[in-house]
Amino acid sequence: MTRAPARAMLASSMRFSSPSRGFVLLYALAYAGMFVSFMPFIMVLLPLKVTAVGGENAVALLSAGALGGAAVASVANILFGALSDRSYRRGGSRRGWIIGGLGVLALGYAALHFSSSSVTLLAAVALIQVGINMSFAPLTTIMADEVPDAQKGVVAGLLGVAHPIGAFSAVLLTAPGLGGEGTRYALLCLLFVGMIAPFAALMREAAPLMREAAPLPPPPPEPLQERRRRDFALAWTSRMLLQVAGNGIATYGFFYFLWVLDREDLSKSSVEANPIVATMTVSTLVAVVLTLVAGRLSDRVMRRKPFLAAAACVMAGGLVTMAFAHSWGVAALGHAAALSGLSVFLAMHSALAMQLLPSPEHRGRDLGILNLTNTLPAMVAPLLALALAPEKTGYTVWLIALALGTLAGGGIAMAVRTQD
């Protein structure tokens, strides 16, 4: 048997098979590792650092870091997505960019630890964002490369727990007795590298072999292409609005709970004395369970949009609860609802959006464009916070604005027609 027919037979057998369980589990672990690499940074470590460096200007410095970091991330994700497309076409793998990004990310955390001024802190934040997106862009694209559409719901549901796991890692990294700032940064680097490295080292992409052996199917009819482009735009917009709210509660959650407690001394105390991150534990467990259940149910009924609508409503309800909370328990309940709604929405949305990608040859680039719904909200949320000045007027109006945006995003998601 010649090599070409052998490759064709192998491609034929692989094209209609699901990825192995080992592949999916290691991929889910690596995907969660990416969230671990930045969620503690956004939720706790950066607010604590800007408090130490910025003093009375901590909120303004945090907003500047969020804006600058989001701008860097927006460009970096598209750039490294496109570069990984090129590597994928030439060498059949995106893994080199994933590994390189981990090294840059570790350097970024070292720079953050040694930063002692606003300028050096902002430079460290930019370096961290470069490292995150150098790894995250190709890693995200692997799902579109390797997972058939019929299995994207199951995998997306599993990946949906990455966000709450990332939030939970903030709890672990701020537990009493772990040591000082440098020790915590080092443990964070060891944790996300340990979660991502097994996938990068052991897994091999199969799609280049299939693409070479069997031609891509012809493009769909023009009316269907036009509908898919419209639906992709709607999906992009809906995710953008949900992510504005999600980024807002992640970035300013630390200061929100200080506002609820009316305890300015907590922002100056050691992290061991800070009870804020402890509330993330319950929120995370609830979000993980609900996301897994939603993923399973959505596969059974073969529908995504009802779950998107329910998730947006739950998240909006949680934000409104947070807005009017006057006690720790009510605030924690609202936070758990908001985080759970966001986790379910992002999981269901990922399964839907990846089926709308316009070109198999440029998935990394196109997912970089979709990733703008993750990075641009990191610019919108700080601008909204600066406009409403929650550190002076309180967080009620700001949270209500986020809730309204969440409901609008859920409504726009219902206008997507391709799924049904």
Side-chain angles (χ1 to χ4, degrees):
M1 180 180 292
T2 63
R3 178 171 296 183
R7 292 171 66 87
M9 290 179 63
L10 177 59
S12 178
S13 66
M14 295 172 69
R15 179 178 293 277
F16 299 102
S17 63
S18 301
S20 69
R21 180 175 298 180
F23 182 97
V24 171
L25 291 178
L26 286 180
Y27 181 64
L29 180 65
Y31 194 84
M34 286 307 311
F35 279 76
V36 169
S37 75
F38 64 80
M39 289 294 292
F41 166 70
I42 293 173
M43 298 176 66
V44 180
L45 299 179
L46 183 59
L48 286 173
K49 190 67 177 182
V50 299
T51 298
V53 173
E56 295 181 356
N57 299 317
V59 174
L61 181 57
L62 179 62
S63 297
L67 285 168
V72 172
S74 298
V75 175
N77 197 276
I78 296 176
L79 172 63
F80 290 115
L83 289 174
S84 75
D85 283 338
R86 185 177 180 181
S87 300
Y88 186 67
R89 290 193 298 267
R90 290 187 172 185
S93 178
R94 305 178 190 270
R95 290 178 297 117
W97 295 103
I98 298 174
I99 296 170
L102 296 181
V104 174
L105 187 51
L107 289 176
Y109 276 113
L112 182 66
H113 172 60
F114 290 108
S115 62
S116 57
S117 67
S118 298
V119 173
T120 55
L121 186 147
L122 294 177
V125 169
L127 186 59
I128 287 172
Q129 289 289 4
V130 170
I132 289 170
N133 288 279
M134 186 184 294
S135 292
F136 203 21
L139 184 66
T140 303
T141 310
I142 288 176
M143 177 176 171
D145 292 336
E146 304 295 328
V147 180
D149 288 348
Q151 280 75 46
K152 279 186 169 67
V154 175
V155 177
L158 190 60
L159 299 186
V161 305
H163 188 280
I165 286 175
F168 182 62
S169 67
V171 178
L172 297 179
L173 291 166
T174 52
L178 285 183
E181 177 185 274
T183 301
R184 295 174 192 276
Y185 287 6
L187 289 174
L188 173 59
C189 292
L190 289 174
L191 183 58
F192 68 71
V193 169
M195 296 174 72
I196 299 170
F199 178 81
L202 299 176
M203 293 297 104
R204 299 291 183 271
E205 296 97 325
L209 175 62
M210 292 189 289
R211 188 184 66 243
E212 180 182 340
L216 292 172
E222 181 58 33
L224 180 57
Q225 292 187 53
E226 181 63 29
R227 190 176 77 176
R228 287 167 67 90
R229 285 191 289 267
R230 170 186 174 275
D231 284 346
F232 186 81
L234 290 172
W236 190 96
T237 304
S238 67
R239 188 181 180 99
M240 171 81 174
L241 290 169
L242 267 290
Q243 286 284 57
V244 168
N247 184 273
I249 60 175
T251 303
Y252 296 94
F254 180 87
F255 293 106
Y256 163 77
F257 279 110
L258 288 179
W259 174 66
V260 171
L261 287 174
D262 194 20
R263 292 278 305 280
E264 294 183 1
D265 61 299
L266 287 176
S267 63
K268 301 175 183 179
S269 65
S270 65
V271 73
E272 288 86 350
N274 184 0
I276 292 174
V277 294
T279 63
M280 304 300 177
T281 304
V282 175
S283 298
T284 299
L285 292 176
V286 172
V288 167
V289 172
L290 290 179
T291 302
L292 291 174
V293 170
R296 177 72 66 178
L297 290 177
S298 71
D299 281 335
R300 287 185 178 180
V301 301
M302 294 303 294
R303 300 284 300 279
R304 312 294 182 204
K305 295 197 307 186
F307 295 91
L308 291 172
C313 290
V314 169
M315 184 177 179
L319 291 168
V320 172
T321 301
M322 292 173 66
F324 294 101
H326 294 290
S327 67
W328 181 266
V330 175
L333 179 64
H335 184 271
L339 183 61
S340 297
L342 177 65
S343 179
V344 172
F345 187 93
L346 294 180
M348 298 299 99
H349 190 279
S350 294
L352 178 62
M354 285 193 179
Q355 295 175 223
L356 302 176
L357 295 177
S359 172
E361 295 293 319
H362 301 286
R363 287 176 175 139
R365 180 202 64 191
D366 296 334
L367 282 173
I369 295 173
L370 182 63
N371 186 68
L372 292 175
T373 62
N374 299 326
T375 57
L376 291 181
M379 303 175 69
V380 175
L383 291 174
L384 189 60
L386 290 173
L388 298 178
E391 74 278 8
K392 297 179 180 179
T393 62
Y395 286 79
T396 300
V397 175
W398 181 71
L399 286 165
I400 291 175
L402 296 183
L404 292 174
T406 297
L407 291 175
I412 292 172
M414 296 303 97
V416 173
R417 295 186 298 165
T418 299
Q419 183 242 352
D420 292 330

